[in-house]
Amino acid sequence: MQTIAHWLDGKAFAGTSEATAPVTNPATGVVTGQVALANVADTRAAIDAAADAFPAWRDTSLARRTQILFRFRELLNERKEELAQLITAEHGKVLADAMGEVSRGLEVVEFACGVPHLLKGGYTENASTKVDIFSIRQPLGPVAVISPFNFPAMVPMWFFPLAIAAGNTVVLKPSEKDPSASLWLARLWDEAGLPAGVFNVVQGDKVAVDELLDNPAIKAVSFVGSTPIAQYVYQRGTAAGKRVQALGGAKNHMVVLPDADLDLAADAAVNAGFGSAGERCMAISVVVAVAGAGDELVGKITERATTIKTGDGTRDADMGPLVTRAHRDRVAEYIAAGESAGATVVLDGRGIDADGESDGFWLGPTILDHVGTDMSVYTDEIFGPVLSVVRVDTYDDALALINANPYGNGTAIFTNDGGAARRFHNEVEVGMVGINVPIPVPMSYYSFGGWKNSLFGDSHAHGADGVHFFTRGKAVTTRWLDPSHGGLNLGFPENK
């Protein structure tokens, strides 16, 4: 059985800790490997490698950095099927979905290839008499990326291409549930010509995370995960003086107005609710049916959901298993709780006959209608293939429902009324909004991030926000020697 190790200073590193965790194929329930769990010494070794590599990488020309990024982009594009297969084997999502994940991460790499333009400063000549001022943006130093299980390739690629392009060095701490993608990416960086120590991987759990948050050599932390852990990462990291962007959980609502194309809305609800078995921070988990749209809409959603084929992601399946047995059982408990609280179980995925091994972590598409806002299936982030339908009387009721929710990651409205759509994107308190688009994940040149309890920190991921997060500004004021400026003057400098 393979042991999935760390990567530091340009090579695999077994570490000094004997602690490991099992890595399981969710479609079979079979343990396929053991991932090393770093102790403090192992984590510090990765941080030290990043710190040692930083001065030379910081001083590497933008031209050279860009050449390496372009090479990494080409290698990733050529071999993306290989990475997708690795993701499916450890996460469980179907191959087509894994390919989509890699492609969206690739977009950020491509965006980072244009970093010379994004790092341009400003220059003012003769701001004061014979005094010039210019501004520059410089890298921070070693930075940490702590990524979740649901996107083992895409989420790290939201961050590390821009961090590296800007001149920082990186320590990536992936999820211990599907750790192999991180090592695959590390080897690809090595092949692309990235100097040793610029990109490092430390496998582990809370021990590794806490060292990354506390160690003074780490200057910034990027995190994606649940809201309680995001808040913990933000508080502990900022207490240690670090810059932190911590993206948390979600409860994404999709409002359907009576004038909407209900066939389009039903397609969108199914695709956005059950893709990747609902294990997406941008998944639609609540459909808000306004006025008379409810009955027909629920019927159309159910009709489509019953055609979804659940099974092994390497076979002809639409939806794969959940990531672990414990998570599968937890989601099933939410369904039972919703039923007990009075929700109508329109489609029950707990007894699904999946196209896969009997020990796989299967749970089929589930639809709960007449869900109340006090039910746990509504209040909690379930992170599974469970779609809750809440019925309201008016647009204003739907808006108030969303704005009262503690999460503010993504939302959508389906309507043919342009006025209602404009009101919605103006009034809704959510960071990413879709108009007849159920999963409004922006392109890489726009920022990704939510509001309220879906984000801790003031910087979103990728786009110009990402460049800004991984750099800091410096203003330089210059005056070359001129006898007319000599002499003592203890007054505050004036511009003349």
Side-chain angles (χ1 to χ4, degrees):
M1 184 175 295
Q2 65 168 334
T3 297
I4 302 160
H6 319 287
W7 182 274
L8 62 100
D9 211 18
K11 55 185 179 296
F13 172 65
T16 60
S17 171
E18 295 182 358
T20 61
V23 177
T24 306
N25 183 333
T28 64
V30 173
V31 175
T32 58
Q34 297 288 332
V35 61
L37 298 179
N39 55 24
V40 171
D42 297 335
T43 310
R44 286 179 181 171
I47 295 170
D48 290 345
D52 291 344
F54 172 66
W57 184 243
R58 173 197 60 204
D59 295 335
T60 299
S61 71
L62 277 170
R64 178 58 183 153
R65 285 189 227 156
T66 303
Q67 289 168 0
I68 294 172
L69 277 161
F70 267 109
R71 180 58 178 152
F72 180 79
R73 186 267 172 204
E74 291 303 296
L75 291 171
L76 180 58
N77 190 51
E78 290 169 6
R79 302 179 193 170
K80 55 188 175 184
E81 292 86 356
E82 182 182 334
L83 180 56
Q85 291 169 356
L86 200 60
I87 293 168
T88 295
E90 292 184 349
H91 175 278
K93 64 179 66 175
V94 300
L95 279 170
D97 196 29
M99 280 290 291
E101 169 183 349
V102 177
S103 295
R104 292 308 297 266
L106 183 61
E107 291 175 5
V108 182
V109 179
E110 292 167 348
F111 177 74
C113 288
V115 79
H117 174 73
L118 301 170
L119 290 178
K120 288 189 304 184
Y123 192 98
T124 300
E125 184 181 35
N126 220 35
S128 186
T129 304
K130 297 185 179 180
V131 173
D132 305 328
I133 303 175
F134 62 92
S135 65
I136 56 178
R137 297 205 67 83
Q138 295 183 316
L140 306 175
V143 300
V145 176
I146 303 169
S147 63
F149 77 85
N150 60 324
F151 287 101
M154 185 186 76
V155 166
M157 283 193 280
W158 281 352
F159 304 109
F160 68 66
L162 287 174
I164 290 171
N168 302 280
T169 54
V170 173
V171 178
L172 168 63
K173 206 300 287 184
S175 169
E176 59 272 29
K177 295 181 177 68
D178 44 13
S180 294
S182 60
L183 290 183
W184 190 94
L185 290 165
R187 293 187 178 96
L188 205 70
W189 273 120
D190 184 58
E191 188 173 345
L194 191 70
V198 176
F199 183 78
N200 308 276
V201 178
V202 59
Q203 312 284 2
D205 51 17
K206 187 176 183 294
V207 173
V209 168
D210 285 349
E211 179 60 25
L212 292 171
L213 296 176
D214 296 341
N215 195 300
I218 295 293
K219 303 305 181 185
V221 177
S222 299
F223 171 86
V224 177
S226 69
T227 286
I229 305 303
Q231 190 168 24
Y232 171 84
V233 166
Y234 179 75
Q235 291 175 342
R236 186 158 180 161
T238 54
K242 304 181 193 306
R243 183 179 292 185
V244 180
Q245 53 181 176
L247 283 67
K251 198 69 179 181
N252 302 321
H253 295 65
M254 183 179 115
V255 176
V256 182
L257 297 185
D259 71 303
D261 181 328
L262 295 187
D263 287 312
L264 176 66
D267 288 342
V270 171
N271 294 338
F274 302 128
S276 194
E279 293 175 326
R280 294 173 176 161
C281 67
M282 289 296 286
I284 291 297
S285 54
V286 180
V287 172
V288 184
V290 179
D295 289 344
E296 186 178 359
L297 178 63
V298 171
K300 288 178 179 293
I301 291 173
T302 305
E303 178 184 351
R304 287 158 172 78
T306 55
T307 68
I308 292 175
K309 186 176 181 180
T310 303
D312 191 320
T314 62
R315 304 180 188 177
D316 183 23
D318 302 309
M319 191 182 87
L322 296 183
V323 68
T324 64
R325 188 178 307 280
H327 183 54
R328 184 263 175 214
D329 293 345
R330 175 177 174 271
V331 175
E333 289 170 1
Y334 272 110
I335 299 170
E339 186 176 23
S340 297
T344 303
V345 181
V346 179
L347 183 63
D348 193 339
R350 288 173 289 184
I352 190 72
D353 182 16
D355 180 22
E357 300 297 325
S358 59
D359 288 335
F361 311 140
W362 309 114
L363 187 72
T366 299
I367 301 170
L368 300 177
D369 195 4
H370 301 287
V371 170
T373 57
D374 58 342
M375 298 179 185
S376 62
V377 289
Y378 177 80
T379 60
D380 297 356
E381 183 182 30
I382 298 175
F383 227 60
V386 180
L387 195 61
S388 297
V389 180
V390 176
R391 301 188 184 220
V392 298
D393 293 329
T394 67
Y395 162 86
D396 289 328
D397 293 335
L399 179 70
L401 189 73
I402 299 171
N403 287 348
N405 195 277
Y407 297 108
N409 203 45
T411 190
I413 187 170
F414 278 73
T415 179
N416 285 313
D417 185 335
R422 192 184 187 285
R423 275 193 64 191
F424 186 74
H425 80 68
N426 179 58
E427 297 171 343
V428 73
E429 296 173 7
V430 174
M432 293 171 284
V433 182
I435 309 297
N436 297 320
V437 175
I439 305 179
V441 177
M443 297 294 289
S444 60
Y445 41 86
Y446 283 90
S447 65
F448 179 101
W451 289 10
K452 298 185 284 190
N453 284 352
S454 295
L455 174 71
F456 298 89
D458 59 359
S459 290
H460 289 184
H462 57 68
D465 277 18
V467 177
H468 188 271
F469 181 79
F470 288 116
T471 58
R472 53 186 172 181
K474 180 181 287 184
V476 182
T477 303
T478 66
R479 179 177 64 202
W480 295 106
L481 294 178
D482 186 333
S484 66
H485 289 289
L488 296 178
N489 183 349
L490 302 188
F492 194 80
E494 297 182 39
N495 294 323
K496 297 179 181 178

